[in-house]
Amino acid sequence: MRTLFCLFSILIMSCCVGLNAYSQELTIEQKEKITSEIVTAFENSINAAENLDAKLLADCVDDSFQSGFIISGRFFPLFKGVMDDFNGKAIGCKSQELTVINKKITVLGENTALLTASGDYSLYLEDGRTLTGKFAWTIVYSKINGQWKIVHSHM
């Protein structure tokens, strides 16, 4: 019985090592290209957020994985809920300014990247008031149909 267990363990270890041997590391150039593409995708979402443009924000997201989104401590199982919340809270708002202070992009694979960012915001209301504060985000990007899309965020 013990011999059978040892043989089974060796077989599993061999499969794991074999699978890892076939995985391909990305080159520095590939990582730099992906990072540049993520920077552009992120800038597009920042622009949409600053202009409170719900359609452009939605265009930055693909919810086909239905991985959920967390906004201000509230869990949304579907992106539609995020947009409903956004549209409700945007009433009475004119625009906002987002100043990214820290940003880190981690390329996880050929079609997956993680972006973490923090900074300051100013929200300009239609009645002339300005609300200010800080933000911190974690965003997961996936390349879907040739375009980088947000598939999960924690804000």
Side-chain angles (χ1 to χ4, degrees):
M1 185 69 163
R2 185 177 174 141
T3 305
L4 183 60
F5 177 74
C6 287
L7 287 173
F8 185 69
S9 296
I10 291 170
L11 178 64
I12 289 175
M13 293 284 288
S14 297
C15 287
C16 291
V17 169
L19 289 174
N20 285 336
Y22 289 107
S23 65
Q24 182 181 12
E25 285 292 319
L26 296 173
T27 65
I28 292 171
E29 291 81 15
Q30 287 172 310
K31 288 181 180 180
E32 287 174 351
K33 181 179 184 292
I34 291 168
T35 298
S36 175
E37 292 170 352
I38 295 300
V39 166
T40 300
F42 182 63
E43 287 172 355
N44 289 339
S45 62
I46 291 285
N47 183 45
E50 287 185 327
N51 292 300
L52 304 176
D53 190 325
K55 183 187 177 331
L56 281 179
L57 275 174
D59 288 346
C60 297
V61 176
D62 184 299
D63 197 21
S64 60
F65 293 112
Q66 296 184 348
S67 58
F69 298 84
I70 300 171
I71 311 294
S72 299
R74 185 170 168 207
F75 176 75
F76 295 89
L78 299 173
F79 187 67
K80 182 189 178 319
V82 173
M83 292 312 298
D84 291 345
D85 186 62
F86 174 84
N87 287 326
K89 289 180 178 174
I91 296 170
C93 299
K94 190 166 53 172
S95 66
Q96 65 181 335
E97 184 178 337
L98 301 166
T99 304
V100 177
I101 296 171
N102 300 296
K103 177 175 64 177
K104 179 169 174 52
I105 297 170
T106 305
V107 176
L108 301 173
E110 184 174 1
N111 295 310
T112 311
L114 175 71
L115 181 141
T116 53
S118 66
D120 299 317
Y121 72 86
S122 295
L123 179 63
Y124 305 105
L125 304 179
E126 290 176 353
D127 66 10
R129 289 180 296 146
T130 300
L131 305 176
T132 60
K134 299 195 173 294
F135 67 84
W137 300 335
T138 301
I139 301 172
V140 179
Y141 285 92
S142 185
K143 196 167 197 178
I144 299 171
N145 296 324
Q147 294 185 340
W148 287 101
K149 298 289 185 171
I150 297 170
V151 296
H152 171 77
S153 64
H154 188 165
M155 301 179 166

